[in-house]
Amino acid sequence: MAGYKNRVLRVDLSNGTLSEEPLEKALIQEYIGGRGFGVKLLYDELKPGTDPLGEDSEMIFISGPLAGTNAQSFSRYKVFFKSPLTGTYFKSCSGGHMAKEMKCAGFDAVIIKGKSDKPVYLWMHDGKYELKDAAYLWGLDCDDTHTLIREELHDPNIRMGCIGPAGEHGVKYAGIFSDRRACGRGGGGTVMGGKNLKAIAFRGHQKVELADKDAFAAAVKEQIAGYKANPMFANFSKAGTWIPEVTNTLGMYPTKNFREGMVPNWEELESSEYLKLLVRKTGCYSCMVHCGSITKIGRTKYAGAWTEGPEYETIWAFTGPMAKADIGLTIAADKLCDDLGLDTISTGSTIGFAYELYEKGLITKKDTGGLELTYGNSEPVMELIRQIAYRKGIGDLLAEGSREAARRIGKDAEQYAIQVKGLELPAYDPRGAKAHGLNFLTCPIGADHNTGYAPQEIFGAPVPKEYDRFTPEEKGELTKWNQDVTAFLETGILCSFMPSMGMLSDEVYGKLLVGATGVKEFADPAYLWHVGEKIFNLERMFNVREGFGKKDDAFPRRITEESVPEGPGAGQVFEQEKMLTDYYRARGWDTETGIPTEKKLKELGLGFTAGK
Ligand code: SF4
C-alpha cells in the first residue's frame, strides 16, 4: 500500500535471528500508523506481567505513513515498550532525521525482543539488515557512539538511536538519543541497555510511493499555508519552546519541588536572553518550523558549553527544582544529559526531590558525599547528573526515579516524590491549569505533557472554545478532546508541538493521509477522532491488564491539599476526585474503577480487551 513500506523487521537478540514480515492491511485500516500501530502491536506481543528488563520484554520502533515525504513535521519516530520506571505501557517520540532514514531503508516498524549475550547494534540500510559488534562502543557517550558508527560504516549521513552510559548502567529513566534529539522519557534507553543493544542505525535511499501525487502536493500546500497563518508560528520558529516567561507570569513554573510557582530572577530565563546565545537555527527533516537552536554559553563558569536547545522542559528541570535561574547551567546540564543518555525532566525533577529531602533532614551531607543541596545553590547539579548516570554515590539511589527512591528511604519521603504512576511531573503546576493537570493524571504513561497538552489553558487557544484555566468545570471533556486529537495526529507521526499550538486541522491531516495512502476513510474527520479515541482506550486497557486503575490516577498530596502560596495561582489546589469523575464520565469509563466499560470497548472495536 502506498505511503507505507509494508515491511516489518523482527529481531530476536537472544539467538541473533532477523526476519521480515508484511505489514498487515487490517492494522493500517484500523490504526492508520505510528502510535496506533505501536499500541496494537505491543498489546498483542507482550504478555501481562512481563519484566521490562527481562528477556521476554520487547520494544518496537515505528516511523509513520508520512515520514520521508515533504509533509511538514511528520518525519518522527516512536518507540514503544513497557516502562521500567512506571511499569505501564510507554511511548516515546523523537524528531531529527532518523524516521526518514528508517522509512527510506525500507521498513515501517522494527520489533526487538530477547537479550544479546554481548553488546551489539542493529544496522539497517536499503532493505538489508544485520547485527554488528558493539563491544568497542560500550561505555561511550552518545556523541562518540554516533561518530564511531558513522566512521565504521563510512557514511556521515547515517542516523541512529543510541544509548549512553545511563542506559548501560540501568538508570530507570535513560533515553534513546538521535544526534541531539531524544526519546527521553520512561526508560527506553534502559530497556535497550538491558538487551545489550547499543544502537539502531539506519540509512536509506528508497522513495516513499504516494497514492495520489497531485492531491498530496495540494494538501502539503494547504498545510504550509495553515502554518504561516497561525499566530504562534513566527515566535515558535524564532525561539522554539522558550516559554519560561509565559509560565512564570502565570505563576505555574514549579519551584522548590512544586511548592511555589515562580523561580527567583526568572527574567534571566526570558527568550530575549537566550537569543543572545544563539549560534544557529536547526530542525528536523521536512519541517519548516525549524524550532531547534544551537546555543553556546560564553560568559559564566559554564563558558564554552553548548547544546541544541535547551527546550522549555530542560530549562525548567535545572532551574525550578533548585530555585535558581542560571541560563549557563541549563545549557551545560542539557548537553551532559544528552551525552550520558538521560531524560532531563526526570533527572532534574529527581534531583529537586533530593533537595527537599535534604532540607527536611531525610538525607544529609553524609548521604550526598558532602554536596550541599540547598535552594539557590545549583552548584551540585552537574556532579549529581554524573553520579546518576554511572550509579555512583547517591546517584545509585536517584537513578531509580523519585518514587522508588522514596520507597527505599521511607520516613514519609513518598509525599515529596512529585510523580504520577512513577513518571515525574513536567514543567507545569497542575494547580494552575486544571485540564493540563487532568491529562497528567490520566495519561497512560504517567505525568506526560505531550499526550494531552492543554493550549487553551497555557496559551489561551480558543479551540474548541475558551476556558478558564483555574476552574475544574468542563475539564473532563476538554482533556478527552486534547488527548484524542493528539492520539490521531500521532498516527502520522505528527510532532507533538503541533497539537499544542493547533497548527493542523483534522481536515488537512485527512487530506495528507489520503494523498499518501489512498485509504478513503482517512479523509473523514469523524473516522480520525474514532481512531484517536480507540488508541487512547487501548493504551488504558494495556495498563488495566497490568493491574492499573483509578488508584493509580493520583497526585501526591502536595498537589491536591497544599495550595499555591502566592502569585497568580495563590490559593489553588487540584480538585482530583471531582475532575476524575467528570473525566471518566466523558470517556464512558466506570467512575468507580476508572476502567472503560464493555459497552465503550465494543463501540470502539476493542471488545477483545474486555475482562482481560
Ligand atoms: S516543530 Fe521543531 S521539533 Fe517539531 S518537527 Fe519541527 S523542527 Fe522538529
Side-chain angles (χ1 to χ4, degrees):
M1 187 179 290
Y4 304 89
K5 286 295 172 188
N6 302 294
R7 287 206 297 178
V8 175
L9 181 69
R10 194 175 276 278
V11 180
D12 186 336
L13 292 170
S14 294
N15 56 25
T17 56
L18 298 92
S19 57
E20 284 182 39
E21 51 194 61
L23 188 62
E24 284 178 25
K25 286 217 166 59
L27 191 66
I28 294 174
Q29 188 76 41
E30 282 190 53
Y31 293 91
I32 302 176
R35 187 165 153 193
F37 284 3
V39 63
K40 180 64 166 61
L41 289 171
L42 199 71
Y43 187 93
D44 290 346
E45 295 272 332
L46 217 60
K47 284 199 189 106
T50 300
D51 174 0
L53 300 180
E55 193 159 351
D56 292 336
S57 81
E58 296 194 16
M59 59 192 321
I60 305 172
F61 289 80
I62 292 184
S63 67
L66 300 177
T69 72
N70 65 342
Q72 300 294 297
S73 326
F74 280 103
S75 285
R76 302 178 66 83
Y77 76 92
K78 276 189 170 292
V79 56
F80 300 84
F81 51 94
K82 182 176 171 185
S83 166
L85 182 67
T86 65
T88 63
Y89 155 86
F90 215 92
K91 61 181 174 69
S92 197
C93 191
S94 174
H97 297 251
M98 187 175 113
K100 178 257 169 191
E101 294 301 331
M102 178 177 170
K103 186 86 170 280
C104 295
F107 291 88
D108 301 297
V110 184
I111 302 173
I112 301 172
K113 73 169 186 180
K115 176 175 178 152
S116 173
D117 56 8
K118 58 179 193 229
V120 291
Y121 74 91
L122 176 63
W123 167 223
M124 299 173 65
H125 54 110
D126 293 319
K128 301 189 186 110
Y129 36 81
E130 62 184 306
L131 288 170
K132 293 186 75 73
D133 177 32
Y136 78 105
L137 299 167
W138 208 251
L140 296 185
D141 71 22
C142 295
D143 248 6
D144 287 347
T145 301
H146 276 74
T147 303
L148 290 192
I149 288 179
R150 285 169 177 153
E151 277 181 18
E152 181 191 343
L153 300 171
H154 308 292
D155 188 341
N157 294 314
I158 287 167
R159 303 292 178 168
M160 68 195 78
C162 76
I163 61 168
E168 296 173 9
H169 286 85
V171 177
K172 294 287 170 54
Y173 41 92
I176 302 167
F177 289 75
S178 305
D179 290 301
R180 310 231 62 84
R181 304 263 164 176
C183 277
R185 307 224 70 190
T190 323
V191 178
M192 277 179 75
K195 294 184 172 306
N196 271 327
L197 181 64
K198 181 69 177 174
I200 170 169
F202 301 93
R203 183 74 170 120
H205 300 84
Q206 298 181 3
K207 288 213 159 29
V208 179
E209 301 298 329
L210 298 170
D212 183 335
K213 281 185 192 161
D214 292 341
F216 187 75
V220 173
K221 213 169 153 189
E222 203 174 336
Q223 183 191 18
I224 290 172
Y227 273 28
K228 287 183 179 163
N230 189 298
M232 294 177 74
F233 171 72
N235 244 351
F236 187 46
S237 194
K238 186 173 159 199
T241 60
W242 203 273
I243 60 164
E245 56 233 64
V246 174
T247 44
N248 274 285
T249 308
L250 293 174
M252 52 178 296
Y253 191 85
T255 300
K256 292 189 182 177
N257 209 22
F258 287 76
R259 271 182 285 176
E260 299 169 12
M262 298 165 93
V263 74
N265 302 327
W266 63 264
E267 295 83 355
E268 290 177 26
L269 302 173
E270 281 190 9
S271 52
S272 54
E273 292 301 311
Y274 139 83
L275 285 169
K276 292 176 192 165
L277 309 175
L278 181 66
V279 176
R280 68 179 166 81
K281 294 291 296 174
T282 178
C284 304
Y285 179 82
S286 193
C287 181
M288 62 193 278
V289 180
H290 230 59
C291 75
S293 307
I294 304 291
T295 51
K296 187 173 175 186
I297 197 84
R299 58 183 165 79
T300 73
K301 64 178 290 217
Y302 302 105
W306 70 274
T307 192
E308 181 178 334
E311 55 84 52
Y312 170 65
E313 297 294 335
T314 302
I315 298 162
W316 166 77
F318 300 113
T319 55
M322 301 89 209
K324 166 102 172 165
D326 183 337
I327 203 167
L329 174 65
T330 66
I331 290 174
D334 184 36
K335 176 72 162 60
L336 187 59
C337 286
D338 286 357
D339 287 346
L340 298 178
L342 284 166
D343 169 33
T344 54
I345 300 175
S346 283
T347 302
S349 186
T350 304
I351 291 174
F353 156 76
Y355 267 64
E356 183 157 13
L357 296 189
Y358 189 86
E359 183 193 57
K360 299 279 189 297
L362 296 178
I363 58 173
T364 65
K365 245 184 180 175
K366 199 168 151 231
D367 301 300
T368 64
L371 296 173
E372 284 196 40
L373 309 189
T374 45
Y375 291 117
N377 171 29
S378 50
E379 289 280 319
V381 168
M382 295 291 277
E383 175 58 20
L384 285 168
I385 292 172
R386 287 188 202 95
Q387 289 189 9
I388 290 169
Y390 291 97
R391 283 187 171 271
K392 294 259 167 66
I394 195 167
D396 190 34
L397 178 67
L398 301 181
E400 293 295 320
S402 59
R403 180 177 66 174
E404 179 57 24
R407 281 179 185 156
R408 293 186 188 185
I409 291 165
K411 297 180 277 189
D412 212 20
E414 277 189 59
Q415 63 175 303
Y416 306 119
I418 310 299
Q419 47 73 38
V420 175
K421 301 181 183 75
L423 191 71
E424 286 76 17
L425 261 64
Y428 304 85
D429 190 324
R431 294 166 293 190
K434 302 288 168 68
H436 212 57
L438 190 52
N439 169 61
F440 291 174
L441 264 189
T442 56
C443 172
I445 64 173
D448 173 60
H449 53 298
N450 285 326
T451 301
Y453 199 98
Q456 304 85 357
E457 294 179 335
I458 312 298
F459 303 119
V463 181
K465 63 173 193 169
E466 289 181 358
Y467 288 86
D468 172 353
R469 67 188 172 102
F470 292 124
T471 180
E473 304 301 330
E474 299 185 284
K475 296 299 171 70
E477 270 295 338
L478 177 61
T479 302
K480 176 183 181 297
W481 195 92
N482 287 328
Q483 291 172 337
D484 288 354
V485 71
T486 304
F488 76 69
L489 289 173
E490 286 191 336
T491 55
I493 303 166
L494 183 66
C495 173
S496 43
F497 293 148
M498 300 305 131
S500 61
M501 292 185 295
M503 292 271 276
L504 187 70
S505 71
D506 45 13
E507 269 180 38
V508 177
Y509 181 49
K511 288 180 190 171
L512 287 167
L513 283 176
V514 176
T517 68
V519 181
K520 299 285 179 248
E521 287 91 334
F522 296 169
D524 178 4
Y527 187 79
L528 298 177
W529 281 92
H530 164 79
V531 172
E533 187 178 8
K534 179 173 181 165
I535 289 170
F536 199 88
N537 276 265
L538 184 53
E539 291 170 333
R540 182 76 174 186
M541 290 311 291
F542 181 103
N543 287 343
V544 167
R545 197 173 62 171
E546 295 287 340
F548 288 84
K550 185 181 177 186
K551 67 180 185 336
D552 305 290
D553 296 341
F555 281 126
R557 64 174 186 257
R558 168 148 302 153
I559 306 298
T560 55
E561 293 177 16
E562 293 177 28
S563 57
V564 179
E566 53 188 35
Q572 289 292 327
V573 292
F574 191 89
E575 299 90 340
Q576 180 169 294
E577 190 60 29
K578 174 195 163 27
M579 292 178 69
L580 269 184
T581 304
D582 286 354
Y583 173 82
Y584 294 154
R585 271 203 199 106
R587 280 238 169 258
W589 295 356
D590 185 293
T591 53
E592 295 299 314
T593 62
I595 295 176
T597 59
E598 197 168 337
K599 179 167 169 278
K600 173 53 72 176
L601 292 171
K602 285 189 173 153
E603 177 191 315
L604 292 169
L606 296 174
F608 62 92
T609 66
K612 296 271 173 67

